[in-house]
């Protein structure tokens, strides 16, 4: 793939330095924790985590993320907390970022029971008093396809057709659980094991939709990414509902797999090392192969 790109390490480092300079924060020793949908940096000297949105087409979600985080804080939900006293989200050139307090580390490893407990808390909250978008999982997929740094024409056609087919199937989805607030990306990597208990993070996909969606991430992760199946069993027992026994699970699984595949499209040129795994995932989707294990994007 060609060099350059909007999210190369050099570009992101420049965004981070400019953001820190404007706020009087020390960026020295900044550590990149992860980068797929967002670039997440820790500033050890400040006790701050910076999240830079990794898709130009998804920058519109940042104000919602801020609103959801503040709303969860008002309801004392165990979750990561924003840095207060700073207008958020922050804009640095064409990039958008949010600032978070570094969560304390040292808690025991999380499992499906922890996720089940936190989802019961989130799902029991009243509807937010601010505008929350309706669950529309394919909107993000379409935006990432449109925002892809590089995508072969046949891959573009395949992904567009798959989106259309899944959208048609979603129109007739019948839920078993009440529709309401969903986290939207509820897997164990979005739980932080703090000494006082797990904290939930990443509210990019939060919206109003089927609660079954939040329960489908873990079994898909077990099937595709090799996560322990016991996490799903723990989640189902703690929450009181086994989503894999519900007729709509196969559809949500297909939607989730498409989202997992397309998450890196906006960074293909900036981070070409993800391309081999993307090709493998696309090949398995094309072939209808539900058994091939995927490796995490790195």
């Amino acid at each position: 793939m060609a060099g350059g790109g909007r999210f190369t390490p050099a570009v992101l480092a420049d965004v981070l330095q400019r953001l820190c300079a404007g706020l009087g924060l020390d960026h020295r020793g900044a550590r990149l924790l992860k980068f797929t949908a967002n670039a997440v940096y820790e500033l050890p000297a400040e006790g701050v985590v910076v999240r830079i949105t990794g898709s130009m087409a998804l920058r519109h979600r940042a104000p919602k993320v801020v609103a959801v985080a503040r709303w969860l804080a008002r309801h004392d939900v165990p979750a990561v907390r924003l840095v207060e006293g700073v207008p958020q989200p922050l804009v640095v050139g064409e990039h958008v970022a949010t600032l978070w307090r570094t969560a304390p580390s040292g808690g025991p490893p999380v499992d499906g029971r922890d996720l089940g407990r936190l989802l019961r808390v989130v799902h029991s909250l009243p509807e937010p008093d601010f505008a929350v978008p309706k669950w529309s999982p394919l909107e993000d997929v379409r935006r990432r396809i449109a925002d892809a740094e590089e995508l072969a024409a046949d891959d573009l056609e395949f992904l567009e057709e798959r989106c259309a087919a899944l959208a048609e199937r979603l129109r007739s989805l019948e839920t078993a659980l009440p529709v309401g607030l969903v986290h939207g990306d509820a897997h164990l990597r979005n739980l932080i094991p703090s000494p006082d208990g797990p904290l939930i993070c990443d509210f990019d996909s939060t919206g109003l939709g089927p609660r079954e969606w939040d329960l489908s991430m873990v079994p898909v992760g077990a099937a595709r990414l090799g996560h322990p199946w016991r996490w799903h069993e723990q989640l189902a027992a703690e929450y009181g509902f086994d989503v894999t026994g519900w007729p709509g699970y196969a559809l949500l699984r297909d939607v989730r797999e498409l989202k997992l595949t397309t998450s890196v499209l906006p960074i293909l040129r900036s981070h070409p090392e993800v391309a081999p795994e993307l090709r493998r995932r696309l090949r398995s989707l094309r072939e209808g192969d539900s058994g091939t294990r995927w490796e995490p994007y790195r």
Side-chain angles (χ1 to χ4, degrees):
M1 288 188 178
R6 301 161 297 173
F7 302 102
T8 62
V11 169
L12 293 171
D14 178 67
V15 171
L16 182 67
Q17 291 180 24
R18 289 162 62 193
L19 182 149
C20 290
L23 297 173
L25 296 175
D26 185 356
H27 73 275
R28 291 172 297 180
R31 185 163 64 98
L32 181 63
L33 302 180
K34 64 177 181 177
F35 184 30
T36 48
N38 299 280
V40 183
Y41 288 92
E42 181 183 10
L43 306 180
E46 302 287 355
V48 168
V49 169
V50 179
R51 293 176 88 242
I52 302 171
T53 301
S55 169
M56 297 303 177
L58 295 176
R59 292 174 297 180
H60 68 286
R61 300 191 303 188
K64 178 201 66 178
V65 169
V66 170
V68 169
R70 289 176 174 157
W71 182 73
L72 293 176
R74 291 199 300 272
H75 286 274
D76 294 321
V77 175
V80 292
R81 301 292 187 236
L82 290 162
V83 173
E84 294 299 342
V86 176
Q88 299 212 49
L90 297 146
V91 178
V92 181
E94 62 180 353
H95 294 270
V96 174
T98 50
L99 267 61
W100 306 81
R101 289 295 174 195
T102 301
S105 59
V110 296
D111 62 21
R113 291 166 293 192
D114 297 307
L115 182 59
R117 283 191 288 269
L118 278 170
L119 286 179
R120 283 196 286 108
V121 170
V122 172
H123 291 177
S124 69
L125 294 173
E127 188 169 323
D129 56 0
F130 55 91
V132 179
K134 290 184 178 180
W135 178 71
S136 183
L138 296 175
E139 178 187 354
D140 290 352
V141 173
R142 291 190 179 102
R143 285 178 179 268
R144 286 192 171 107
I145 293 171
D147 194 34
E149 286 190 326
E150 292 189 1
L151 192 62
D154 60 333
D155 291 334
L156 173 63
E157 181 180 8
F158 167 74
L159 290 172
E160 289 177 338
E161 289 178 352
R162 194 167 185 90
C163 275
L166 289 173
E168 183 62 31
R169 292 169 61 192
L170 282 171
R171 290 191 182 96
S172 59
L173 179 68
E174 295 185 4
T175 62
L177 300 174
V179 172
L181 186 77
V182 294
H183 175 274
D185 198 15
H187 54 82
L188 268 65
R189 288 189 64 189
N190 279 335
L191 296 187
I192 299 173
S194 82
D196 295 326
L199 305 175
I200 197 163
C201 67
D202 191 351
F203 315 121
D204 288 342
S205 299
T206 299
L208 299 176
R211 266 58 185 271
E212 290 91 346
W213 178 246
D214 276 350
L215 302 173
S216 67
M217 314 287 152
V218 173
V220 172
R224 279 301 195 184
L225 299 171
H227 298 161
W229 183 253
R230 70 176 183 277
W231 288 352
H232 164 65
E233 294 173 331
Q234 293 166 341
L235 169 62
E238 182 66 36
Y239 191 90
F241 183 82
D242 186 346
V243 73
T244 62
W246 166 63
Y249 171 68
L251 172 54
L252 296 192
R253 178 198 63 209
D254 290 349
V255 173
R256 176 63 176 170
E257 288 184 348
L258 185 62
K259 288 176 71 70
L260 288 173
T261 298
T262 56
S263 62
V264 296
L265 294 184
I267 65 169
L268 281 174
R269 186 181 302 124
S270 303
H271 294 266
E273 64 273 11
V274 303
E277 178 62 21
L278 172 64
R279 287 194 293 269
R280 180 159 68 145
R281 295 187 186 191
L282 286 170
R283 183 169 58 251
S284 66
L285 293 181
R286 276 193 169 95
E287 295 173 354
D289 175 8
S290 60
T292 294
R293 288 285 177 87
W294 296 344
E295 294 297 326
Y297 286 128
R298 302 186 189 282

